[in-house]
Amino acid sequence: MGSLPRGQGKLEDSLSRQALQRLTQNSSLDAAVADVHLAIEAAVEKLEIKQSIFARLGELAPPHAILTTNSSTLSSSHIAEASGRADQVTNMHFSTGTGHEVR
């Protein structure tokens, strides 16, 4: 994917407001992932914490949901195994580049 031409990297104010209105906050993981298609985890870089989160995501997120870690230092496969559906886990960290495989 290429970069945007100069000056075209911002949303118009009306589109920005619409996007913000679609964001929700929730203190309950159960409710937060009940209807998601994509869940992105961005917790501290501690394997045990991420595995705990992915175990819960594996139980709570819909069967079709893609579960994503934002880890930059931990093995994605060790995180994915905890979910019980490793084939639906990916890593979306900004520094992993394109074509990154779960290892």
Side-chain angles (χ1 to χ4, degrees), residues 71-88:
S71 181
S72 60
T73 62
L74 301 172
S75 168
S76 297
S77 61
H78 289 118
I79 297 167
E81 290 169 3
S83 72
R85 45 171 144 165
D87 61 327
Q88 290 175 257

Side-chain angles (χ1 to χ4, degrees), residues 44-94:
V44 64
E45 291 289 292
K46 294 197 180 282
L47 182 60
E48 299 79 19
I49 292 173
K50 290 184 181 282
Q51 286 174 326
S52 175
I53 292 168
F54 272 80
R56 299 258 344 264
L57 287 173
E59 295 171 1
L60 300 172
H64 66 271
I66 302 298
L67 310 178
T68 303
T69 182
N70 189 42
S71 181
S72 60
T73 62
L74 301 172
S75 168
S76 297
S77 61
H78 289 118
I79 297 167
E81 290 169 3
S83 72
R85 45 171 144 165
D87 61 327
Q88 290 175 257
V89 176
T90 186
N91 187 316
M92 279 181 55
H93 194 276
F94 69 92

Side-chain angles (χ1 to χ4, degrees), residues 17-67:
R17 281 191 298 276
Q18 289 174 15
L20 287 173
Q21 289 173 348
R22 291 191 299 266
L23 295 177
T24 60
Q25 294 181 358
N26 202 314
S27 60
S28 164
L29 184 60
D30 303 30
V33 301
D35 296 319
V36 300
H37 296 282
L38 175 67
I40 304 172
E41 162 277 319
V44 64
E45 291 289 292
K46 294 197 180 282
L47 182 60
E48 299 79 19
I49 292 173
K50 290 184 181 282
Q51 286 174 326
S52 175
I53 292 168
F54 272 80
R56 299 258 344 264
L57 287 173
E59 295 171 1
L60 300 172
H64 66 271
I66 302 298
L67 310 178

